[in-house]
Amino acid sequence: MTFTIATLAPSLLNTNGDAQNANVLAQRLRWAAHDARVVAVEDVADLPDRVDAVVIGSGNDSTLDAARAKLLTLHDLLRRWGTEGVPILAVGTGWELLSWGVERADGSVVEGLGVLPGRAVARSSRVIGDLVVRSPRFGHLVGFENHARDYVQAEASPLGRTLAGDGNGRESGQEGVVMGWVLGTHLHGPVLAKNPGFADAIIAEMAARAGVDYTPGEQAGVVDGYAASAREAQLRGAGVTLDR
C-alpha cells in the first residue's frame, strides 16, 4: 500500500516550514521500505481517495481569513478524521483555526472550525524563542515558538508541560492541546524533523490503522543522530537539563 499524508492549504499555511512535517513523515516511511506520498490539498477537489495523516502548518494574520475559507471546505472531513483517529498535526495558526475562534490584536474575531476546544486570544506582546516541552505521551519535545496569541479554555489534555518558553501562555505551564490524535502545538520547525520520536509515534499509529508493521529504517538512525545533536544544542541554549 501507499501511505498518503495530506498537507492542507500549504500555499497559505507554511510560514515556518511547518507544512514540511508531511515530508518528514513520508521520508521516514520510505526509509522503512513503505511507499508514501505527500498531497497538497488547497480545497476539497484536491483530496486523494485515502488519507493516512494530515498536516496543517502556520500562517500569518494577513491570510487568516483566506486560510479559514480553505479549511472550511474540509470542515466535515476534519471532524470525521478526528473521530476516526487519523493523526492530524496542526501548528500555530493552523491549530488556532481548528479552535473555537481566533482573536486578532484589533479585537476582531475569526470564527474557528470548532474541531478542538479552546480559543486563541491576543496577548500584549509577541513571544519568540526556544520552547521545550515534557510530554507524557511523546517524551521531551524541542522547537521554537513565534506567536502573538495565548491559548485558553482548552478542555482537552495539553500536549505537555513547558520546561522553557511560554507555550499556551497565561502562566498555565502548558503547551498545545491533544484530543485523540488531533494534535495542536506552538512548536514550529518543522517539529518532526527535530523530534523523530514524535514523528515515529504518529507513523506507528498510521501503520497500526493500516494493519502493517513499522520499524524505523537504517537511514532514519543516521539522521536521528543529527537531530539529537540539534536538540542538545537547543536544550543548552534554553538552559534545560533533562533527567537521565
Side-chain angles (χ1 to χ4, degrees):
M1 64 164 288
T2 297
F3 286 95
T4 300
I5 302 101
T7 177
L8 306 189
S11 64
L12 299 175
L13 298 173
N14 191 25
T15 299
N16 299 283
D18 307 301
Q20 305 312 313
N21 283 303
N23 291 317
V24 175
L25 294 173
Q27 188 59 62
R28 294 185 75 83
L29 280 161
R30 295 183 194 115
W31 286 335
H34 293 290
D35 291 330
R37 63 173 179 156
V38 174
V39 176
V41 178
E42 295 292 347
D43 60 50
V44 69
D46 298 328
L47 276 171
D49 293 335
R50 176 189 177 94
V51 173
D52 296 287
V54 176
V55 170
I56 311 174
S58 188
N60 55 62
D61 280 11
S62 65
T63 58
L64 196 59
D65 291 299
R68 178 189 180 275
K70 285 180 177 290
L71 294 182
L72 192 59
T73 68
L74 304 166
H75 175 266
D76 292 345
L77 280 168
L78 282 162
R79 283 191 171 276
R80 193 188 82 193
W81 289 331
T83 300
E84 292 177 350
V86 175
I88 300 174
L89 175 65
V91 182
T93 309
W95 162 30
E96 292 177 343
L97 285 170
L98 296 187
S99 76
W100 295 331
V102 183
E103 177 187 308
R104 292 190 177 103
D106 63 6
S108 62
V109 176
V110 176
E111 184 179 356
L113 274 65
V115 175
L116 283 170
R119 63 182 66 253
V121 297
R123 49 180 293 140
S124 59
S125 61
R126 178 173 292 274
V127 56
I128 302 173
D130 290 324
L131 180 58
V132 181
V133 180
R134 179 187 288 117
S135 171
R137 190 168 168 186
F138 303 110
H140 289 94
L141 306 175
V142 302
F144 71 92
E145 58 185 340
N146 179 6
H147 55 101
R149 284 182 283 269
D150 293 328
Y151 199 85
V152 300
Q153 299 175 334
E155 297 172 357
S157 300
L159 179 64
R161 304 288 299 182
T162 55
L163 301 181
D166 279 28
N168 292 352
R170 306 291 170 103
E171 299 183 351
S172 67
Q174 296 180 345
E175 159 54 20
V177 64
V178 171
M179 180 171 282
W181 275 98
V182 185
L183 314 168
T185 184
H186 291 110
L187 286 160
H188 291 294
V191 61
L192 297 184
K194 194 174 285 186
N195 300 278
F198 191 14
D200 281 344
I202 293 173
I203 295 172
E205 180 61 20
M206 294 167 61
R209 296 186 75 254
V212 301
D213 294 327
Y214 170 71
T215 301
E218 182 177 347
Q219 183 61 32
V222 175
V223 172
D224 292 356
Y226 302 140
S229 296
R231 286 165 54 86
E232 288 295 332
Q234 185 166 353
L235 289 169
R236 287 194 301 271
V240 175
T241 301
L242 302 183
D243 297 332
R244 300 297 182 184

